[in-house]
Amino acid sequence: MPNRKKIPIILDGDPGHDDAIAWVLAHASGRFHILAVTTAAGNQTIEKTTYNALRVCTLIGLHVPVAKGCRKPLLTEPMNAPSVHGESGLDGPALPEPAFDAQPEGAVELMARVIRNSEDKVTIVSTGPMTNTAAFLLAHPELKDRIERISMMGGGLALGNWTPAAEFNILVDPDAAKIVFESGVPILMAGLDVTEKALILPEDFERIRAQHNPVSDIVWQWLEFFYRFHRSIGYAGAPMHDPCAVMALIHPEIFTIRDYYVQIETCGDYCKGATVPDWYGLSGHVPNASCILDVDRKAFADLLVETIAVYGEKMP
Ligand code: BDR
Ligand code: CA
């Protein structure tokens, strides 16, 4: 493989099984310089997602600064997803206790510090409600141009999963999403349009289970847990929502991506949290998001399985 320059990133998420697998993928891919990890309140409370983040980083040997994010959405009350991720936010296999502590500074300050000090522009990989990123943009407008782009999992141009119109991450903090989408920072959007197609099937779980390395042993159990909920509502596999936001940065060629102007509905009786695309260019706005619409599922699954195998070898 050619010696490509690593992409500097901050991982901002609310682990969460699919967040954790996204971070497993990012670290093992060798394609990123992971500068920091910041946590969001979403799948569980900020205390729980921060604890989970530290345990995941410890498991995969990712020793970078970790900072706790905003306790609640910008204007609304927190909303969690224990039906999907359990009471801990990351139920399933036992994980190692954190080998290190979170930073004394909060997520917004840590983001500002690493973005200010980075030689190259930084990509934010956002896999939870976008509260931290929005708070960062509000607090540090002088650093906006230092963000290369925001690769985010959230929304759905055609569908929701928490209400008929809204996806969980956007619904939890629509005001934050609106700030991010109107910021002018390039956005790569992995919405439900693609993430519901990025299914890891039970036969793929088995391929990961057969690897028998310390991380794969946990990942297949996370997949089993995460799939339990999805199987109960008719899915053929576990949707890898958050890993799409990472995979699209490494292997854009396996995705179908189109640019649209996307607006965020922050209120309304039926559509709060909707991501509304201007399909036909009626608004007069230029596109603000590269929206991922489809994926080669088999290629996605193979790449994920192959990358997790790296934990049984010498890590990059
Ligand atoms: C999103 O919601 C969370 O439960 C997942 O971690 C993912 O980020 C999918 O709607
Ligand atoms: Ca998430």
Side-chain angles (χ1 to χ4, degrees):
M1 186 186 289
N3 194 11
R4 287 176 294 177
K5 195 166 184 192
K6 293 188 180 191
I7 305 168
I9 60 170
I10 294 171
L11 296 171
D12 180 66
D14 58 341
H17 298 77
D18 54 336
D19 301 79
I21 295 170
W23 296 0
V24 163
L25 170 67
H27 185 45
S29 72
R31 290 289 295 115
F32 300 107
H33 183 198
I34 301 172
L35 302 173
V37 168
T38 51
T39 60
N43 288 323
Q44 266 300 348
T45 62
I46 196 66
E47 286 73 25
K48 290 182 182 179
T49 60
T50 304
Y51 175 57
N52 292 341
L54 290 166
R55 293 194 298 162
V56 171
C57 289
T58 300
L59 171 75
I60 65 178
L62 177 58
H63 297 292
V64 299
V66 175
K68 186 192 280 186
C70 304
R71 190 183 63 76
K72 63 183 280 302
L74 294 184
L75 300 178
T76 53
E77 290 309 305
M79 193 193 308
N80 305 139
S83 58
V84 184
H85 300 275
E87 281 305 322
S88 73
L90 194 48
D91 276 11
L95 297 175
E97 287 302 308
F100 60 102
D101 292 329
Q103 297 289 303
E105 67 204 319
V108 172
E109 290 72 32
L110 179 59
M111 282 177 163
R113 180 161 65 86
V114 302
I115 290 171
R116 188 179 294 116
N117 293 341
S118 175
E119 192 180 311
D120 296 314
K121 289 187 178 191
V122 175
T123 294
I124 298 175
V125 179
S126 170
T127 57
M130 288 192 282
T131 317
N132 295 330
T133 304
F136 165 76
L137 288 167
L138 292 175
H140 294 282
E142 78 285 2
L143 294 176
K144 188 175 88 170
D145 293 343
R146 301 294 305 148
I147 306 174
E148 177 72 24
R149 63 178 152 173
I150 297 167
S151 180
M152 52 81 67
M153 188 283 137
L157 302 188
L159 70 160
N161 64 356
W162 221 253
T163 72
E167 180 277 334
F168 179 77
N169 289 339
I170 306 293
L171 183 65
V172 171
D173 199 343
D175 303 290
K178 183 176 170 67
I179 288 167
V180 172
F181 274 72
E182 293 182 357
S183 69
V185 176
I187 293 172
L188 181 59
M189 173 179 165
L192 297 171
D193 316 279
V194 64
T195 67
E196 297 264 326
K197 296 171 188 157
L199 293 179
I200 294 295
L201 305 178
E203 68 214 45
D204 302 316
F205 303 1
E206 287 308 316
R207 291 199 284 160
I208 295 169
R209 182 181 185 159
Q211 290 174 358
H212 291 304
N213 72 57
V215 177
S216 65
D217 284 347
I218 298 292
V219 171
W220 75 259
Q221 294 179 78
W222 280 338
L223 286 165
E224 289 271 347
F225 184 91
F226 193 55
Y227 182 44
R228 206 175 299 161
F229 166 80
H230 291 92
R231 184 172 44 211
S232 75
I233 55 171
Y235 283 64
M240 289 292 91
H241 301 294
D242 294 338
C244 285
V246 172
M247 192 72 91
L249 293 172
I250 322 173
H251 288 290
E253 73 281 0
I254 69 168
F255 295 93
T256 304
I257 305 175
R258 300 268 183 275
D259 291 349
Y260 293 106
Y261 181 66
V262 177
Q263 284 172 300
I264 310 296
E265 183 62 83
T266 56
C267 55
D269 290 336
Y270 307 113
C271 296
K272 182 180 171 193
T275 43
V276 183
D278 183 5
W279 295 115
Y280 302 112
L282 303 174
S283 68
H285 289 284
V286 295
N288 59 353
S290 296
C291 304
I292 314 178
L293 302 179
D294 204 352
V295 62
D296 177 339
R297 190 213 72 82
K298 176 82 169 62
F300 181 94
D302 289 349
L303 286 164
L304 186 65
V305 171
E306 280 165 25
T307 308
I308 292 168
V310 170
Y311 288 97
E313 303 159 9
K314 196 172 174 320
M315 282 288 290

